[in-house]
Amino acid sequence: MNLFDFEDYIDSVILNRGFSYYQSGQVRSVEETSPNTFTADVEGSEDYVVKVKLREDGEIIDAECDCPYDWGPVCKHMVAVFYELKEMLQDDLQKKKKEPGEYLVSSFEDFENNDPLLETLKAYDKEKLIQLIIKIADEYPELRQRLELVLEVQDLEEERKKAKQHIKSYLKQSKDRDGFIEYGKAKFAAEGAWLILESAADILENEEYLRGAELCFCVLEEMMPILDNADDSYGYLSGAIDQAIDLLGQIAQSPLSKSEKEVFFERILSESLKEIYDDWHDWRLDLLENCVYLADSEKAREKFEKILNSLSEEADVLRGWYDEERLALIKYHFIKKTRGKEIANNYLEQHRYFPLLRDVAIKDALANEDYQKVEKLALEGEELDQRFPELVAKWQDYLYQVYKLTGQVEKLRKVALIKIYDGSFEHYKELKKTYSKDEWKEIYPNILEEIEKTKRLWNLYPQILIEEGEKKKLLEFLKKAPEYLTQYYKHLIPDYRFEVYEIFSQYIIETAAKASNRKVYREIVSFLRQLVQIGGTVQAKNLMERLRVKYSRRPAFVEELAELRI
């Protein structure tokens, strides 16, 4: 029996109880008293001492506990320690892998705050303020932990150790026996990481950038390995990783000294190249983007460029278009920073087949008022990206913008029609402005006819009818599509009051026939209430009576109807 298969040899009842002790943190301390021999204190009905002797490979040679349990060879306290040792040894193996860059160092600087509370705190008696903070910290354990992390002046490695232990404590309490975190426990599992990130943000306000960065790295180091053994459907765990990387990005753009930049560059680069990011390319690329701001020395630039080239070759073979595109964008920003705008523009021109880079080129051309180039790039993109409707729509937006700026009315009208048939009412109104009133009377019926013919864009159709005062057509539309009734009936009152009453009545009857739950019954009552509000009281009363009789065997429906007083 060893630390990696002991669950196969122990009674399930004892195993579950021991795991519960481990998960709730009742193993208070574990000390290696001699090579591969461990002594642990376990809190139970009383405190008990467990001793475990292991071989190098994790085989359990001997284990004993001073509790009175004598129903079997292994008690729950021993199981709890087995789980704790299993975690400890896994962590130790990881710690043996030296990472380039070592740990970061930073200096403390004064923090100035313009918050009005600052003056109040300065004027408050120091001893009373300390007592108040302690009292509040006792009431809110998480605040105490955060204050300890931020205020304790300690060795950076010790601070990292505490931060990681804090993150692990939440993760451990959230895991099942197989080490998996169910989606219902993911939020709690991530709370430790979020607390560390809040502490990092506090430290960054003090401009202790690299100290704050180390806390972010702690979050990445503990949270990344968890993702493969968790249901993170709600994004609580990945959200903490996103936030850690965002904070690292803020640090990369902060006013760091030359030496701080050099150390941080190595640290963030080594983090991005870890094997665990092989399956999470977006995060690797997010980290690499930050290196653009840090690679100031010639040595750092050469190293970063070599890594980018290597990753580009790998992306071309293994990762696919998206990674290649993002790497190309990072390269562009890197070239712009290190070699100047002219060389960067040449690179942009050569790689404009990537949509992200084409977008940068178009924005640059717009800023320089080179509208001819904008049109050329956008038309080219529209042609190349036919398989991707969202990209085509983006290039068309640029074309519309440039045609509007340059007064090319005919071209603008063509693009506006395309956008209208994609469902844009705003472009409909813009197109209308390009015609005289008499001209428009000849144009808009064709647009309506096209929509009627295709029988789509029903969200756009009634808006156009209202814009053009086509009330009769709107009435006919609502007869065919009564689900839009509550949205547009007001535009038919008072001209078609009784016709609207009839549509309401018919829709209520049809909805009631299909209704099978209280939610729909309440919707029907809401329709009846609206019918009363627009003057259809008689119709609503008749309908209510009809529904009560017809659906008398649906007590929930009858109850909901009774809520409406007419």
Side-chain angles (χ1 to χ4, degrees), residues 385-397:
D385 298 322
Q386 286 298 311
R387 291 179 300 144
F388 308 103
E390 289 184 5
L391 284 176
V392 171
K394 177 190 278 191
W395 309 138
Q396 289 168 349
D397 285 339

Side-chain angles (χ1 to χ4, degrees), residues 373-386:
K373 186 176 181 180
V374 173
E375 182 180 21
K376 177 189 171 185
L377 290 170
L379 285 171
E380 190 178 78
E382 188 181 27
E383 180 65 28
L384 288 173
D385 298 322
Q386 286 298 311

Side-chain angles (χ1 to χ4, degrees), residues 63 95 110 119 183 197 221 249 292 432 454 480 522 530:
K95 286 175 183 176
D110 292 334
E119 294 304 317
Y183 77 94
L197 290 171
E221 288 162 16
V292 172
K432 185 176 179 178
T454 57
K480 294 175 184 176
R522 287 172 180 162
Q530 287 183 69

Side-chain angles (χ1 to χ4, degrees), residues 503-526:
I503 299 172
F504 257 109
S505 300
Q506 190 59 37
Y507 187 51
I508 289 168
I509 290 167
E510 290 174 3
T511 305
K514 300 173 186 175
S516 59
N517 59 68
R518 195 176 285 271
K519 181 181 177 183
V520 182
Y521 299 153
R522 287 172 180 162
E523 288 177 2
I524 292 168
V525 171
S526 177

